[in-house]
């Protein structure tokens, strides 16, 4: 489809995962990524939110803290994705 969700829950050891996006269809995509922050093992509200432009076959890395995880929402890179969400009242 036009929107994918990718998530992982980690073990009690910190780790870094590399996610390969070979399942995406051709075209431009945006990955909205939420991953553990540097203090996530002491404060569950510590996270990093970032966006990356991706395409089929590209990769991105995420860091998981002890007992942590990550989630990403990957969607088509369309002109409506470039407008701040407060202005997307017509969606």
């Amino acid at each position: 489809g036009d929107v994918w969700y990718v998530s992982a829950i980690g073990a009690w050891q910190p780790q870094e995962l590399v996610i390969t996006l070979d399942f995406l269809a051709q075209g431009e995509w945006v990955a909205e990524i939420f991953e553990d922050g540097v203090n996530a093992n002491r404060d569950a509200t510590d996270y990093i939110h970032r966006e990356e432009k991706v395409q089929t076959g590209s990769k991105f890395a995420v860091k998981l803290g002890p007992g942590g995880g990550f989630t990403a929402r990957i969607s088509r890179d369309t002109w409506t994705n470039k407008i701040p969400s407060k202005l997307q009242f017509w969606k």
Side-chain angles (χ1 to χ4, degrees):
D2 289 337
V3 179
W4 289 86
Y5 294 89
V6 181
S7 299
I9 297 173
W12 293 110
Q13 298 298 320
Q15 54 190 312
E16 183 171 320
L17 299 178
V18 177
I19 310 299
T20 303
L21 303 174
D22 54 1
F23 57 88
L24 294 177
Q26 295 294 323
E28 296 180 348
W29 297 79
V30 174
E32 184 177 14
I33 303 164
F34 296 85
E35 65 183 304
D36 291 332
V38 68
N39 296 309
N41 61 329
R42 294 187 304 263
D43 179 4
T45 64
D46 183 21
Y47 66 93
I48 297 167
H49 173 229
R50 61 189 168 101
E51 288 188 2
E52 290 186 21
K53 293 203 180 260
V54 295
Q55 58 188 358
T56 186
S58 64
K59 299 177 183 183
F60 66 86
V62 292
K63 293 181 181 175
L64 280 62
F70 95 97
T71 192
R73 179 182 187 271
I74 304 168
S75 58
R76 292 260 185 206
D77 188 16
T78 63
W79 67 272
T80 56
N81 289 342
K82 296 176 176 75
I83 299 171
S85 59
K86 291 180 182 177
L87 299 178
Q88 292 186 17
F89 56 87
W90 60 84
K91 271 189 147 182

